[in-house]
Amino acid sequence: MPETVLRNGDTSNAAELSFDDFREIVINDYRVGFESRQASIIGRREVLTGKAKFGIFGDGKEVAQLAMAKAFRKGDWRAGYYRDQTFMFATGMSNLKEFFAQLYANPDIEKDPASAGRQMNCHYATRYVNADGSWVNQAETMNCAADISTTGGHMPRLLGLAYASKLYRQNKELEYLKNFSINGNEVAFGTIGNGSTSEGLFFEAFNAAGVLQVPMAISIWDDAYAISVPAKLQTTKEDISEILKGFQRDKGTNGYEIFKVRGWDYVALCETYERAIKICRDEHVPVLIHVTEMTQPQGHSTSGSHERYKSKDRLTWEDEHDCLVQMRKWMIQSAIISAEEMDLLESNAKKYVRECQREAWNELENEIKAEMAIAVELINQMSQQSAHKEGLQSIISLLHACVDPGRRDTIAYVRKALRLTIGENTGEREALVNWLNEENVKNKERFNSKLFSDTPQSPLYVPVVAAEYADDARILDGREVLNACFDANFERDKSIVAFGEDVGSIGDVNQGFAGLQNKYSDLRITDTGIREATIVGQGMGLAMRGFRPIAEIQYLDYLLYSITVLSDDLASLSYRTRGGQKAPLIVRTRGHRLEGIWHSGSPLGLILNSMRGIHVCVPRDMTQAAGMYNTLLRGDEPALVIECLNGYRLKEKLPANVGEFTVPLGKAEILREGTDVTIITYGSTLRIVMEAAEELEKMGIYIEVIDPQTLYPFDTENICGRSLQKTNKLLVIDEDIPGGGSAYILQKVIEAQNGYYSLDAQPKTLCAAEHRPPYGSDGDYFSKPSLDDVIETVYKMMNEANPGKYPAIY
């Protein structure tokens, strides 16, 4: 079989090539493009026949991607969307067998290394994390960041991947990180459809790259439609590069180099990409390549036909200007290949693609059928000893009747067989149960593993180092403790960087980084524009390339502007690559009690529901926050740290080992022991609860106060559950709306920790009002849990349990 790729990026300059060499390269390019087209055609058929669930392909984009692949080098990065299969084949970062394995959702990482069957087809990734959690040498590989289906969602991450090259080039202290960069010469290639340039994330990332002047090369695949919506309803002037002309750099200004080229013109595309990427790589200038007059022969996806919304004239034009049709015509006219040779090439390519498809399907089908055969035999053996033989034999018949069976068919029928034979205690039934348990373990690994990196480098395994205090320890503002922690870590690890709004020059709005930019340079501690989504994306891209970034979102309320990046991209990265990629980004923010609708947020329900895959740390003071940063900066998983807004000027002792002590994730702490009610709360409300405890004690009520410290993971040692065994009463206090973070905590304690069995009273929650808190101290008092609320809620619980001893207050 022919190789999928000829690495054109390693060839000599075109001017130095002989005609035979040039001819070989062009013919190979066409072959790769033609094979890619056949993969799209066959892939669509496989979906329509039911073998695959959904299909979305890169047909019509082949020639531009061949040209782009020529400019791609080892060390470079791609962050694109689901039309780039030809580029992946041409660079060798994927192949046809893997293409079909992903289409069939094969959960074997050897068969689908991009996602182990977890992503829809044409969602690509290269694996840069070894099984032990160590990094692959990215400088010696071609690299692809894991795709996501939100078609503009990858743009913030692209910014970070490019920004890393700038830092590697300009910061000489990073020369020891040779596994990640060679003098910052790497380009970050991004691709996006013309319709998705209407997304805010595109414009935010585009502007940020122009400001930062990073080696980012954006290719826009423009086929004049976004699904069924034409360009005139998408883009001003129906031309994205036309409206972006103001970003074109002039002498003495920053900005872009902007190129425009037709998607069916092979020669012009090759010349354009060679020129554009040279500027991008050498000068560290972002470039835009607007590729127009593209087509989409099979429509948007297998969900529908483009004949429904394209005119006959448009469809005729697309047939004539199909990029492969045009390239084929040019090759024959230029005597690069004869028509007969081309026919043979295409015939062989069709056979090869079909062979790859069949091999990919057979490998998965044979494995599933082998598992089914074992299950059938076990059910049959059980039926011989069962009073339900007829029913079991019927199940076997149903299994045999499955067309293109999946694992779910086998497992579902085995479970049905076991339900049918409840109460029968035979060795044969036990054998089937054992087989099911073994398969459940395998399937959990196949489909539910690697939400986090789960490597030896995980922050969960960072050794616990207690805070140490000198006898004459200084008592400082909490912000100064944080500042000392950051100072020590920046001194220890040159790969740590921090950035965000007001972080650099003034040291952030609460002075956590005060004075550190002057000490460590504006390459390491940096101001950004007001652009929350790309602040997070900038951090994610840096983290993927070996940095230890701290990306600051000024207030927790503004985290919502970056929610798509946090939820769709960062949180799912480890899972959707089955541990093949990681991004140990720390997102630093502050929230909870202050005053005003957009400066007092505690949307923990939103965060916990949308960011599984990110550790959520809720320190009660700045010393705890410092210990968490020390832990996270030594681990390899992403985290969100929410500092208490009203805690920066409260006094705390400065630990002697302020940059070394660690706070373990998932370890709850009992701050006050009691026997009557278990109270679980975190962050700013802890101070209110501790104050309430003093008055409650005077009333003869002794509360046990527990700080979970992190909400994800939550109390891995079941401290809350054990507390309930003593108090038998539970109150969860949360600044989120009712049913927000409190619902999560209740599920963990009542269900996961079996706290239900320890209760002798209804569990209670004390939360904020359903609206956001209004401005002013009165607004705070009447909309968030107050000292009086805590005291009276606890007292009422005691009144309900023993009204004689605790008569109603009013």
Side-chain angles (χ1 to χ4, degrees):
M1 293 182 190
E3 292 294 324
T4 301
V5 61
L6 176 68
R7 295 190 182 278
N8 297 321
D10 296 334
T11 61
S12 303
N13 186 285
E16 301 172 359
L17 293 173
S18 68
F19 179 77
D20 286 342
D21 290 336
F22 172 71
R23 177 178 179 274
E24 181 184 358
I25 290 170
V26 174
I27 291 174
N28 183 74
D29 278 351
Y30 183 82
R31 178 185 57 77
V32 173
F34 189 83
E35 288 175 353
S36 180
R37 176 66 61 86
Q38 294 306 304
S40 296
I41 292 170
I42 294 172
R44 181 179 177 85
R45 290 174 185 164
E46 292 298 277
V47 174
L48 297 179
T49 59
K51 285 185 177 179
K53 298 292 289 184
F54 181 79
I56 197 158
F57 307 102
D59 47 301
K61 316 296 188 289
E62 292 91 352
V63 174
Q65 292 177 28
L66 292 169
M68 183 170 71
K70 292 177 180 299
F72 200 79
R73 302 285 185 268
K74 289 181 179 179
D76 286 347
W77 282 82
R78 170 194 169 271
Y81 83 130
Y82 46 67
R83 301 288 185 198
D84 291 348
Q85 69 201 51
T86 307
F87 173 80
M88 295 300 293
F89 299 157
T91 56
M93 289 191 286
S94 186
N95 59 49
L96 288 161
K97 279 279 294 289
E98 292 171 357
F99 171 90
F100 286 110
Q102 188 178 60
L103 181 69
Y104 300 133
N106 193 323
D108 186 338
I109 57 174
E110 298 298 324
K111 302 295 191 297
D112 171 21
S115 71
R118 296 179 178 187
Q119 296 228 78
M120 287 191 289
N121 74 299
C122 286
H123 287 62
Y124 292 105
T126 52
R127 306 187 73 77
Y128 60 75
V129 179
N130 295 312
D132 63 358
S134 61
W135 299 89
V136 169
N137 187 335
Q138 297 176 0
E140 294 182 354
T141 58
M142 293 183 174
N143 307 291
C144 176
D147 290 346
I148 55 179
S149 292
T150 51
T151 54
H154 58 287
M155 295 300 296
R157 179 217 314 150
L158 174 67
L159 175 72
L161 293 170
Y163 185 58
S165 290
K166 176 178 179 175
L167 295 185
Y168 280 125
R169 177 172 288 187
Q170 296 188 8
N171 186 353
K172 300 307 178 186
E173 290 185 324
L174 300 174
E175 289 181 353
Y176 70 99
L177 293 171
K178 296 187 182 300
N179 282 1
F180 295 98
S181 177
I182 300 174
N183 301 318
N185 291 331
E186 303 78 25
V187 171
F189 288 68
T191 63
I192 189 169
N194 57 295
S196 295
T197 62
S198 300
E199 294 275 9
L201 293 180
F202 170 80
F203 281 98
E204 187 175 317
F206 196 84
N207 178 63
V211 171
L212 292 172
Q213 291 293 275
V214 293
M216 184 169 98
I218 302 173
S219 295
I220 298 174
W221 307 143
D222 189 347
D223 58 20
Y225 286 85
I227 308 182
S228 66
V229 181
K232 67 180 181 181
L233 299 178
Q234 290 277 354
T235 308
T236 302
K237 300 183 180 182
E238 300 184 42
D239 191 321
I240 186 64
S241 60
E242 182 69 22
I243 65 173
L244 293 175
K245 279 184 176 179
F247 285 88
Q248 173 66 48
R249 65 172 179 162
D250 299 313
K251 187 175 182 180
T253 70
N254 57 12
Y256 278 74
E257 286 296 323
I258 299 176
F259 301 83
K260 195 170 187 177
V261 60
R262 293 177 299 193
W264 49 265
D265 190 336
Y266 174 80
V267 174
L269 283 161
C270 292
E271 292 173 348
T272 299
Y273 272 98
E274 181 181 11
R275 180 183 170 203
I277 302 306
K278 179 173 175 54
I279 293 171
C280 188
R281 192 183 306 278
D282 295 347
E283 301 181 37
H284 269 204
V285 174
V287 298
L288 172 68
I289 302 104
H290 182 195
V291 185
T292 63
E293 298 190 19
M294 288 186 135
T295 65
Q296 205 153 275
Q298 297 189 122
H300 174 76
S301 70
T302 53
S303 293
S305 170
H306 62 156
E307 284 86 356
R308 292 181 301 167
Y309 54 84
K310 290 179 181 175
S311 68
K312 288 184 178 180
D313 288 345
R314 174 68 193 190
L315 291 170
T316 299
W317 182 91
E318 289 192 6
D319 287 343
E320 293 174 354
H321 290 81
D322 184 299
C323 61
L324 290 179
V325 170
Q326 290 291 322
M327 185 175 178
R328 187 186 201 275
K329 185 186 301 183
W330 168 78
M331 289 170 66
I332 294 173
Q333 290 175 347
S334 302
I336 291 172
I337 192 171
S338 68
E340 293 75 19
E341 289 173 322
M342 182 66 84
D343 290 341
L344 180 60
L345 181 154
E346 292 177 346
S347 176
N348 289 337
K350 287 179 180 180
K351 292 177 184 177
Y352 174 56
V353 176
R354 177 58 76 180
E355 288 173 7
C356 291
Q357 175 265 318
R358 287 171 178 159
E359 287 178 17
W361 172 254
N362 290 338
E363 286 173 0
L364 178 61
E365 185 183 44
N366 291 341
E367 189 175 329
I368 291 173
K369 285 186 174 180
E371 293 169 8
M372 180 180 284
I374 295 172
V376 165
E377 178 60 24
L378 290 171
I379 295 172
N380 185 53
Q381 290 176 7
M382 185 172 68
S383 73
Q384 306 307 314
Q385 309 297 324
S386 173
H388 300 279
K389 181 176 182 178
E390 184 176 343
L392 293 173
Q393 288 297 318
S394 176
I395 288 174
I396 291 173
S397 296
L398 290 170
L399 272 169
H400 283 311
C402 286
V403 177
D404 299 331
R407 285 190 166 91
R408 68 171 188 168
D409 297 299
T410 300
I411 297 301
Y413 280 121
V414 166
R415 294 169 74 175
K416 186 173 183 178
L418 292 173
R419 290 196 301 270
L420 185 64
T421 56
I422 291 173
E424 294 184 355
N425 299 312
T426 64
E428 290 79 6
R429 188 177 190 277
E430 183 179 357
L432 185 62
V433 170
N434 291 339
W435 181 87
L436 176 62
N437 289 336
E438 291 171 2
E439 290 303 305
N440 284 340
V441 171
K442 295 176 186 176
N443 286 326
K444 185 174 183 179
E445 176 62 28
R446 287 178 181 126
F447 303 110
N448 308 120
S449 60
K450 293 294 185 178
L451 180 60
F452 289 92
S453 69
D454 194 28
T455 71
Q457 284 76 43
S458 166
L460 299 180
Y461 305 132
V462 171
V464 178
V465 177
E468 300 172 358
Y469 294 92
D471 293 338
D472 59 347
R474 289 190 295 163
I475 298 178
L476 307 172
D477 288 348
R479 62 182 176 83
E480 295 177 280
V481 175
L482 268 184
N483 185 269
C485 166
F486 290 140
D487 189 6
N489 279 289
F490 270 76
E491 182 66 35
R492 174 184 63 84
D493 186 346
K494 306 303 181 186
S495 70
I496 298 175
V497 294
F499 46 88
E501 300 158 19
D502 300 313
V503 168
S505 180
I506 69 170
D508 87 46
V509 291
N510 296 104
Q511 300 293 281
F513 286 103
L516 298 186
Q517 186 183 72
N518 288 337
K519 185 173 182 178
Y520 295 106
S521 87
D522 61 1
L523 288 174
R524 296 189 63 191
I525 302 172
T526 312
D527 285 313
T528 70
I530 300 175
R531 50 175 180 83
E532 285 80 8
T534 48
I535 288 172
V536 173
Q538 187 173 326
M540 182 177 178
L542 287 173
M544 297 173 84
R545 294 194 60 189
F547 284 89
R548 299 312 314 265
I550 302 171
E552 179 168 316
I553 302 299
Q554 198 162 88
Y555 294 105
L556 183 55
D557 304 84
Y558 304 148
L559 199 72
L560 273 68
Y561 284 89
S562 61
I563 195 75
T564 53
V565 186
L566 287 163
S567 181
D568 290 343
D569 208 354
L570 181 64
S572 69
L573 179 65
S574 179
Y575 173 79
R576 72 179 190 268
T577 60
R578 197 169 164 186
Q581 297 192 356
K582 62 182 179 181
L585 167 64
I586 298 173
V587 178
R588 178 192 181 215
T589 189
R590 51 192 67 83
H592 310 314
R593 304 186 87 98
L594 194 60
E595 292 177 351
I597 289 176
W598 287 284
H599 292 84
S600 55
S602 300
L604 268 299
L606 168 74
I607 290 167
L608 291 164
N609 284 319
S610 64
M611 297 185 197
R612 297 297 171 96
I614 299 175
H615 295 298
V616 179
C617 304
V618 284
R620 62 182 178 267
D621 56 36
M622 301 310 151
T623 302
Q624 292 299 95
M628 290 175 183
Y629 286 120
N630 289 336
T631 299
L632 295 168
L633 287 167
R634 290 163 172 80
D636 71 349
E637 295 171 348
L640 171 67
V641 181
I642 306 169
E643 299 164 10
C644 295
L645 257 170
N646 57 4
Y648 292 107
R649 297 190 181 279
L650 297 180
K651 301 300 181 182
E652 301 180 34
K653 279 187 178 181
L654 178 67
N657 57 343
V658 68
E660 301 295 330
F661 82 97
T662 58
V663 171
L665 307 186
K667 183 173 175 59
E669 185 176 358
I670 298 176
L671 301 184
R672 184 185 180 103
E673 294 193 355
T675 55
D676 292 321
V677 179
T678 295
I679 295 182
I680 303 170
T681 191
Y682 59 89
S684 295
T685 49
L686 270 166
R687 285 190 288 277
I688 295 172
V689 171
M690 294 297 282
E691 186 178 347
E694 300 294 330
E695 184 168 339
L696 286 166
E697 187 170 334
K698 294 174 184 176
M699 303 169 78
I701 300 171
Y702 300 89
I703 61 174
E704 183 142 294
V705 182
I706 300 178
D707 176 10
Q709 300 198 91
T710 62
L711 296 180
Y712 209 88
F714 180 86
D715 186 17
T716 57
E717 298 179 354
N718 287 5
I719 289 172
C720 296
R722 289 201 298 273
S723 174
L724 265 184
Q725 292 174 5
K726 176 172 53 174
T727 67
N728 310 119
K729 297 178 185 65
L730 175 64
L731 173 62
V732 176
I733 300 178
D734 181 28
E735 287 190 65
D736 199 359
I737 62 171
S742 59
Y744 167 82
I745 294 172
L746 283 174
Q747 187 274 330
K748 288 293 185 182
V749 177
I750 300 302
E751 182 180 349
Q753 296 187 3
N754 293 319
Y756 171 83
Y757 298 102
S758 299
L759 293 171
D760 61 13
Q762 180 184 0
K764 301 282 187 179
T765 63
L766 176 58
C767 305
E770 301 212 27
H771 54 75
R772 299 189 183 195
Y775 174 64
S777 297
D778 286 346
D780 176 77
Y781 180 85
F782 288 105
S783 59
K784 285 205 171 187
S786 68
L787 173 66
D788 298 315
D789 293 333
V790 174
I791 293 170
E792 294 182 11
T793 300
V794 172
Y795 187 89
K796 186 177 181 181
M797 292 176 70
M798 298 303 293
N799 163 256
E800 291 172 353
N802 190 345
K805 185 175 180 180
Y806 303 101
I809 298 174
Y810 50 83

